[in-house]
Amino acid sequence: DEEFDELCFEFGLELDEITSEKDIISKEKGEEKAKGASDTVLYKIDVPANRYDLLCLEGLVRGLQVFKERINLPRYEKIIPAQGEGQRLIITEETVQVRPHAVAAVLRNITFTKERYDSFIDLQEKLHQNICRRRALVAIGTHDLDTISGPFTFTAKAPSEIKFKPLNQSQEYTASQIMDLYRTDSHLRHYLHLIENKPLYPVIYDSNGVVLSMPPIINGDHTKISVNTRNVFIECTGTDITKAKIVLDIIVTMFSEYCEKPFSVEAAEVLYPNGKTHIYPELAYRKEKVKPELINKKVGISETPSSLAKLLTRMCLKSHVIGNGNNIEIEIPPTRADIIHACDIVEDAAIAYGYNNIQMTIPKTYTIANQLPLNKLTELLRLDLAAAGFTEALTFALCSQEDIADKLGMDISATKAVRIANPKTAEFQVARTTLLPGLLKTIAANRKMPLPLKLFEVSDIVVKDPDTDVGARNYRHFCAVYYNKSPGFEIIHGLLDRVMQLLEVPPNEENGYTIKATEGSAFFPGRCAEIFAKGQSVGKLGVLHPDVITKFELTMPCSALEINIEPFV
């Protein structure tokens, strides 16, 4: 187990845990439920999301064998049948509105066992969840070719016109009835929304009108594959042609090793509505050139070009040196759709070299880290505000529109608030423009606590600012509230004086701070003052208006202070 863990780490994977079905069930549901579950040892391996070729045992074992240099990378080939003998998939123009793309291929004379069959089904499920984005981009259908006869037609019809026996069901249903049938199915109900509200549903027929599948929901029962299936027809339909091609390539490359002629795939012809035809799977090999010094420089090693080529070959990227060692030519196989740019090749070279083998060096740039002055001031203030008897609160940076506008007696347009385009809940519609609502909500949630409640927060607020590149700007605010049977304006005023004393700002007009009577929509008339310091207005303090207090579900008077601390840095 330790050796395998080490091997996974070297290959860039992580062996998450070694467990069994019994262990998993007993952990989640208790020992009672786990009785009778399998004791077979299971390895949970974390595979990076870009490596679709490692999502099944076949691909993983092949990758590790090549990595250990026990086998050479297999060459995948597509066999194009003689004219008129191959399978054809005809796409009609009705599909344009729902799922416009389809690709297909055939695995001939394949030998399944129970394990291989389970792995085949499991790979489809993993691809559905991952690259297919829960079947939204691509849906995979695999069929027993001997039960149907081509050419096949991919079309779209009204739900009432589609009628067939879905997989593992005992009778025929129309498409509308199928949707109702699976509404309660724990697995399939998540995919119904993909076509539910479309006027036409996609469907694939053979030449005798037998339904192969209604993507992306369910296959027909007629064509279901089993351990004894010898010829598999694979179709992938979707809204993204690139992803559909990748998915088809992965499935056929992974399982063609079980065909009579290993690693060979029979191609199928797809006929588009505009009359064009295309042969799938593409199984495209392509060549890239990368300079050895680029790899060495980016990774921080100094290997010879030939040893770099060897490292890359171990990562399933067959490579050799060309042009007097100035370049490495890399052949990218159809299994590696994740190789998009030279940096992906460099990363694979680093994995093969071994991250732990790269010598650590001190960077040539010499810098000393320092705390951001604004954060340093914030930290110092927090300590002294706590010493003054106030309790710190940390509240959400997002709030509802009412919190910062209606409840404070303001109009939302006057707040310059940044809105969230698609808020998940009404509580998180806008970024806060003031810290006060968060503290008042905190008090409302703690009304059972003994009075007085003295809270403060030093955090960022966000307002729109057309002059910045992102269209908004953060300001660091300090807010404090005092909640008791009497307003306690003098306590909040005292806290302001203490903060100014700590910031070494004297109470005078020339170079210090002053407060002047003003009106604020959230404050009681005649009980509100604006604070001026460093020649600018930095905030307000005062007794909150009774309307504001009741809107936040509070019952006692409350006074508050909020200032921007950035001018004091």
Side-chain angles (χ1 to χ4, degrees), residues 299-312:
V299 181
I301 52 179
S302 50
E303 292 288 294
T304 62
S306 58
S307 87
L308 286 173
K310 196 174 168 194
L311 289 177
L312 288 167

Side-chain angles (χ1 to χ4, degrees), residues 16 50 56 61 114 173 176 180 201 213 227 262 303 328 334 348 356 380 382 393 412 427 485 520 529 541 549:
D16 214 15
N50 57 346
C56 65
V61 169
K114 170 95 174 65
Y173 296 93
S176 326
D180 294 334
Y201 287 4
S213 70
V227 177
E303 292 288 294
I328 298 175
D348 269 10
N356 287 348
L380 292 168
R382 288 167 62 207
I412 187 73
E427 282 299 294
K485 290 185 173 126
L541 83 160
I549 291 171

Side-chain angles (χ1 to χ4, degrees), residues 480-522:
V481 290
Y482 176 80
Y483 178 74
N484 202 355
K485 290 185 173 126
S486 64
F489 180 79
E490 65 285 354
I491 288 169
I492 282 294
H493 191 176
L495 185 70
L496 171 70
D497 290 345
R498 172 69 182 142
V499 169
M500 291 300 175
Q501 184 185 1
L502 290 165
L503 294 171
E504 295 181 358
V505 181
N508 61 40
E509 277 197 29
E510 281 77 56
N511 54 359
Y513 74 100
T514 54
I515 61 174
K516 291 182 180 148
T518 183
E519 294 301 322
S521 59

Side-chain angles (χ1 to χ4, degrees), residues 7-18:
L7 173 63
C8 282
F9 179 78
E10 284 171 15
F11 191 54
L13 306 174
E14 188 182 352
L15 179 58
D16 214 15
E17 62 174 328
I18 298 169

Side-chain angles (χ1 to χ4, degrees), residues 116-305:
R116 294 173 184 182
Y117 175 80
D118 289 347
S119 176
F120 188 57
I121 300 299
D122 196 42
L123 173 66
Q124 291 175 49
E125 206 34 61
K126 285 204 173 72
L127 290 169
H128 271 152
Q129 295 305 320
N130 183 341
I131 180 176
C132 304
R133 292 284 177 277
R134 299 216 172 87
R135 303 193 190 178
L137 303 181
V138 187
I140 309 158
T142 50
H143 312 279
D144 187 335
L145 186 57
D146 300 326
T147 62
I148 40 181
S149 58
F152 306 100
T153 309
F154 175 41
T155 183
K157 288 189 168 186
S160 53
E161 292 175 29
I162 303 171
K163 191 170 187 190
F164 67 102
K165 186 162 125 188
L167 194 61
N168 301 333
Q169 296 292 333
S170 53
Q171 64 184 79
E172 290 198 344
Y173 296 93
T174 64
S176 326
Q177 290 168 325
I178 288 172
M179 294 304 242
D180 294 334
L181 177 70
Y182 289 127
R183 225 174 279 293
T184 52
D185 186 290
S186 62
H187 177 59
L188 291 173
R189 63 192 166 101
H190 305 296
Y191 309 120
L192 301 183
H193 69 92
L194 295 172
I195 58 168
E196 200 165 20
N197 301 322
K198 301 271 180 12
L200 303 177
Y201 287 4
V203 60
I204 300 175
Y205 291 102
D206 82 341
S207 57
N208 302 325
V210 173
V211 172
L212 275 71
S213 70
M214 183 173 84
I217 310 299
I218 190 84
N219 287 355
D221 193 66
H222 183 88
T223 62
K224 101 170 152 194
I225 62 169
S226 68
V227 177
N228 305 319
T229 299
R230 295 287 292 149
N231 299 301
V232 183
F233 178 68
I234 303 165
E235 41 82 10
C236 300
T237 60
T239 51
D240 181 329
I241 185 70
T242 313
K243 298 270 194 300
K245 287 182 198 169
I246 293 173
V247 168
L248 185 67
D249 278 352
I250 294 293
I251 293 180
V252 296
T253 51
M254 291 302 111
F255 285 89
S256 53
E257 73 171 274
Y258 301 136
C259 291
E260 199 168 31
K261 186 178 178 196
F263 306 115
S264 68
V265 186
E266 182 182 310
E269 186 178 35
V270 175
L271 185 67
Y272 290 100
N274 61 9
K276 287 188 178 160
T277 63
H278 196 86
I279 304 280
Y280 291 107
E282 289 194 341
L283 288 187
Y285 282 87
R286 68 174 212 274
K287 301 241 164 101
E288 295 281 349
K289 291 191 181 84
V290 177
K291 293 203 176 304
E293 55 266 30
L294 176 85
I295 299 178
N296 280 329
K297 188 178 168 205
K298 294 274 185 220
V299 181
I301 52 179
S302 50
E303 292 288 294
T304 62

Side-chain angles (χ1 to χ4, degrees), residues 475 500 505 509-516 530-540 563-569:
Y475 289 105
M500 291 300 175
V505 181
E509 277 197 29
E510 281 77 56
N511 54 359
Y513 74 100
T514 54
I515 61 174
K516 291 182 180 148
E530 195 164 6
I531 306 152
F532 292 89
K534 307 253 174 166
Q536 64 190 71
S537 164
V538 291
K540 286 183 178 154
I563 59 170
N564 175 7
I565 62 166
E566 294 193 6
F568 303 104
V569 174

Side-chain angles (χ1 to χ4, degrees), residues 326-554:
N326 296 337
N327 253 334
I328 298 175
E329 187 175 68
I330 298 120
E331 185 178 53
I332 289 138
T335 46
R336 294 298 305 273
D338 58 302
I339 305 284
I340 297 168
H341 183 274
C343 66
D344 297 309
I345 295 169
V346 174
E347 180 194 17
D348 269 10
I351 290 171
Y353 184 81
Y355 282 4
N356 287 348
N357 302 328
I358 300 170
Q359 290 296 313
M360 286 194 184
T361 53
I362 292 173
K364 291 193 172 63
T365 48
Y366 184 67
T367 57
I368 295 173
N370 217 335
Q371 196 176 12
L372 200 66
L374 181 61
N375 287 347
K376 190 168 183 181
L377 176 66
T378 303
E379 295 295 319
L380 292 168
L381 260 181
R382 288 167 62 207
L383 279 173
D384 278 299
L385 288 163
F390 279 70
T391 305
E392 183 172 26
L394 281 171
T395 61
F396 290 121
L398 299 178
C399 58
S400 68
Q401 292 193 16
E402 286 81 58
D403 290 343
I404 55 165
D406 308 359
K407 289 186 182 177
L408 298 179
M410 280 176 76
D411 186 53
I412 187 73
S413 55
T415 60
K416 291 207 236 164
V418 176
R419 293 180 193 214
I420 308 294
N422 50 347
K424 274 273 191 283
T425 66
E427 282 299 294
F428 299 137
Q429 294 169 325
V430 292
R432 60 182 172 192
T433 55
T434 157
L435 299 178
L436 185 61
L439 288 183
L440 293 178
K441 277 156 66 176
T442 307
I443 291 178
N446 290 282
R447 281 174 305 199
K448 294 192 177 66
M449 303 298 274
L451 294 173
L453 289 175
K454 298 153 80 174
L455 299 182
F456 80 92
E457 180 171 11
V458 189
S459 286
D460 280 1
I461 61 112
V462 185
V463 287
K464 278 190 199 154
D465 181 353
D467 300 336
T468 61
D469 54 347
V470 289
R473 188 184 286 280
N474 288 15
Y475 289 105
R476 185 68 50 89
H477 273 205
F478 150 59
C479 180
V481 290
Y482 176 80
Y483 178 74
N484 202 355
K485 290 185 173 126
S486 64
F489 180 79
E490 65 285 354
I491 288 169
I492 282 294
H493 191 176
L495 185 70
L496 171 70
D497 290 345
R498 172 69 182 142
V499 169
M500 291 300 175
Q501 184 185 1
L502 290 165
L503 294 171
E504 295 181 358
V505 181
N508 61 40
E509 277 197 29
E510 281 77 56
N511 54 359
Y513 74 100
T514 54
I515 61 174
K516 291 182 180 148
T518 183
E519 294 301 322
S521 59
F523 295 99
F524 202 84
R527 298 276 178 89
C528 172
E530 195 164 6
I531 306 152
F532 292 89
K534 307 253 174 166
Q536 64 190 71
S537 164
V538 291
K540 286 183 178 154
L541 83 160
V543 178
L544 291 183
H545 199 287
D547 290 352
V548 174
I549 291 171
T550 50
K551 277 179 185 159
F552 280 99
E553 298 170 18
L554 300 176

